[in-house]
Amino acid sequence: MAIVLEVNDLCKTFTLYQQQQKEMIGCSHVSFQLHEGEFIGITGKSGAGKSTLLKCLFRTYLPSSGEIYYNSQEFGKIDLVQVKDQQILRVRMKEIGYVSQFLQVLPRVTAKDVIMETLIEMNVSKQVARQQAEEMLCHFNIPEKLWDAYPNTFSGGEKLRLNLARAMVKKPRLLLLDEPTASLDVNSKRYVKEMIENLKRAGTSMIGIFHDLEFMEAVVDHTYKMKEGCLTKEVTI
C-alpha cells in the first residue's frame, strides 16, 4: 500500500513567557508511517501530547523540528512543516479533514449550509452539494427540523455529529479525529463506525485520538500510546 503520511522525528515545544520563558514539550521525536486506507488509533492520558500531535499534522501548530511528508494528490510529496500557507490551505480544503470535539462555525449559518459550503469549496454544484449534505445529515441522524437551524442551538452530541458530517462528506484523503465519539450515545457511535468503514474502503487514511478503547479497537488497524510527548506502537501478542 502507498504511504500517505510519513512523520520523522517530529518535535513541538511551547515557550511559557510568563514563567521566565520556560519550555514545555508538546510532542518529542515522533516518527511513524500511515498507509492508504489505514487507521491509526492513539491513546494516552490528558496532557500526553495527543492533540498537539494532530494539530501539528494539520499545521494548526507549526512544529519546532522534524518532517511531515504528505503524499498530496495535487502537489505530490510535500513536507507540511515547510510548505507555504497557501498550499496548507489548499490541501485542507481538498484533501485533509479535521474533527475536533468543538464545532466552530459562523453564527448565522444553518446546519445544512455548513456541510454544503464544504462541498462547494471543492467545486461541487449547489444541487449536488445540497443532496449530499442532506444524505449526510440523515446518516448521522440529525433531525430534519434542525437542518435549517443554527448549530449554536444544538446539544453537544448534535454539534459533534455535525462536525463529523462536515469532515466526512468530502471523503478526504487524510482524516484526523480528536475524540470522535465523545458525548455520543450508542446509536450515534454506530453511525460513526459505519462511516469510518465506508471511508476506509474508499481509501481514506485516518488518525484518531480515543479514550473509548472499545470503539477504537473495532475500527483501527494499529494502536499507539502517547506518554509525555513520546509515541510508541503497541504490539498485540
Side-chain angles (χ1 to χ4, degrees), residues 7-73:
V7 179
N8 298 321
D9 206 25
L10 181 69
C11 299
K12 175 60 181 177
T13 58
F14 300 92
T15 302
L16 306 179
Y17 292 100
Q18 294 179 342
Q19 299 183 24
Q20 298 181 338
Q21 296 191 348
K22 179 181 177 180
E23 285 198 342
M24 182 179 70
I25 296 174
C27 58
S28 178
H29 304 291
V30 171
S31 299
F32 66 92
Q33 291 181 345
L34 177 68
H35 294 81
E36 186 175 10
E38 281 187 338
F39 194 164
I40 287 176
I42 301 175
T43 66
K45 295 180 179 179
S46 296
K50 305 183 300 296
S51 293
T52 295
L53 173 58
L54 282 200
K55 289 176 180 178
C56 286
L57 299 179
F58 198 57
R59 252 285 288 274
T60 307
Y61 291 160
L62 182 63
S64 303
S65 62
E67 302 161 331
I68 305 172
Y69 288 116
Y70 169 64
N71 186 12
S72 167
Q73 290 178 320

Side-chain angles (χ1 to χ4, degrees), residues 163-209:
N163 218 4
L164 286 160
R166 177 174 62 171
M168 291 180 167
V169 74
K170 65 180 181 180
K171 299 178 178 65
R173 180 164 175 74
L174 173 63
L175 183 58
L176 308 172
L177 300 159
D178 191 346
E179 285 293 333
T181 58
S183 73
L184 294 184
D185 57 27
V186 173
N187 283 334
S188 295
K189 289 180 182 180
R190 178 167 54 83
Y191 306 142
V192 176
K193 182 176 182 290
E194 289 174 358
M195 186 55 63
I196 285 173
E197 290 170 345
N198 290 340
L199 290 173
K200 284 181 70 175
R201 283 193 291 268
T204 294
S205 305
M206 288 172 264
I207 301 173
I209 294 171

Side-chain angles (χ1 to χ4, degrees), residues 116-145:
M116 285 182 61
E117 287 176 1
T118 298
L119 293 165
I120 290 169
E121 285 178 349
M122 299 178 67
N123 299 322
V124 175
S125 70
K126 282 189 177 181
Q127 181 178 354
V128 173
R130 183 177 294 106
Q131 178 185 346
Q132 292 185 6
E134 291 176 354
E135 289 173 356
M136 191 62 72
L137 288 165
C138 285
H139 177 85
F140 281 101
N141 200 30
I142 296 175
E144 190 169 350
K145 65 182 181 181

Side-chain angles (χ1 to χ4, degrees), residues 110-112 142-150 153-154 158:
T110 68
K112 183 161 63 176
I142 296 175
E144 190 169 350
K145 65 182 181 181
L146 296 180
W147 293 2
D148 294 318
Y150 300 136
T153 66
F154 289 12
E158 288 166 346

